[in-house]
Amino acid sequence: MESAKLKLYVGADFVSAFAMSAFVGLKEKQLSFDIVTVDLKARENYLPAYRDLSLTCKIPTLVHEGFALSESSAIAEYLDEIAPGHPKLLPQDLRQRARARQLQAWLRSDLLVIRKERPADLIYFGPRDTPLSADAQSAVQRLYFVAGQLLEQGAEHLFGEWSIADTDLAIMLNRLLANGDPMPAQLADYVRRQWQRDSVQAWLDQPRSLAPKH
């Protein structure tokens, strides 16, 4: 495959958890790609040119040989298909792969209150001093329970070897850890290990010049 034909559209502020997931996936696959930024604050993602490309007006969007695909979990599966000889983003075992997809879907469809009260931008621009609401605290406990069950006995990764689900889970947890919210030591250590991956560090190295107003 001609990896040079890959383009990844991301928000210009480089804070989206979903854009980070797609970026990390490409880096882990060791694929060359160009980054195209979209100014979400100026609503460039709703302009006809981007709307017609992404269909959903969301970032990230991956473009490969004229084919455009949005939704980070779909992008991860697509990358495994077009680059099967590279490291896998999803577990090879059938049931572990299904569990990884379950976790990805849950992280994206539930826990909305955590994403609202602990947005990903605080990971890069500093903590908030607003306490978590009762609903958010309840969601946090669900998150910690699920993570604890999947990372029994201090496992380094969710499924024996790293998968993109590790990055997705670490991002959600780091919304809380970076803000200074209480977290079990086992989960905090897991986040710190995931954050040291070269692919994650490459995302952190992207330019972020404007902190959002809190």
Side-chain angles (χ1 to χ4, degrees):
M1 115 181 203
E2 290 293 333
S3 59
K5 295 182 179 178
L6 288 167
K7 288 185 180 180
L8 183 67
Y9 289 74
V10 303
D13 54 5
F14 287 95
V15 300
S16 164
F18 305 123
M20 176 180 172
S21 180
F23 178 98
V24 167
L26 284 159
K27 286 292 187 179
E28 293 284 346
K29 294 294 254 183
Q30 303 172 33
L31 297 171
S32 298
F33 62 100
D34 294 328
I35 294 177
V36 183
T37 57
V38 180
D39 190 338
L40 304 180
K41 293 179 181 178
R43 298 177 64 83
E44 286 183 355
N45 52 312
Y46 291 104
L47 296 178
Y50 189 76
R51 177 202 62 199
D52 294 346
L53 180 74
S54 76
L55 298 181
T56 58
C57 299
K58 298 291 183 68
I59 54 100
T61 291
L62 178 75
V63 178
H64 173 232
E65 296 181 343
F67 174 69
L69 182 67
S70 58
E71 301 300 329
S72 57
S73 57
I75 290 171
E77 294 192 36
Y78 182 72
L79 292 175
D80 269 349
E81 293 287 345
I82 66 172
H86 291 76
K88 292 285 187 182
L89 297 183
L90 292 167
Q92 296 192 51
D93 177 80
L94 173 65
R95 293 186 175 181
Q96 289 185 338
R97 188 164 64 251
R99 185 71 75 202
R101 287 169 171 156
Q102 176 190 1
L103 177 61
Q104 286 183 301
W106 181 68
L107 290 171
R108 287 159 172 76
S109 63
D110 202 345
L111 312 175
L112 296 177
V113 66
I114 296 179
R115 293 206 293 272
K116 180 179 179 180
E117 297 187 23
R118 295 295 183 263
D121 58 29
L122 63 79
I123 295 174
Y124 310 101
F125 300 123
R128 296 186 169 189
D129 56 9
T130 307
L132 289 168
S133 66
D135 286 346
Q137 291 180 38
S138 177
V140 167
Q141 291 310 306
R142 294 200 307 275
L143 173 63
Y144 289 174
F145 172 78
V146 170
Q149 291 293 304
L150 294 175
L151 290 165
E152 292 185 85
Q153 300 178 344
E156 183 174 355
H157 304 300
L158 287 166
F159 306 109
E161 294 183 349
W162 178 90
S163 75
I164 197 63
D166 284 295
T167 295
D168 292 343
L169 178 58
I171 294 169
M172 181 61 78
L173 290 169
N174 208 15
R175 296 170 183 268
L176 300 156
L177 183 63
N179 195 67
D181 295 303
M183 179 176 293
Q186 170 195 349
L187 298 184
D189 290 343
Y190 167 78
V191 173
R192 295 186 185 103
R193 287 196 303 271
Q194 294 299 324
W195 232 246
Q196 291 307 307
R197 294 188 71 84
D198 289 345
S199 57
V200 173
Q201 289 295 308
W203 172 259
L204 299 179
D205 287 341
Q206 299 305 307
R208 295 175 189 85
S209 59
L210 296 176
K213 294 180 180 179
H214 289 206

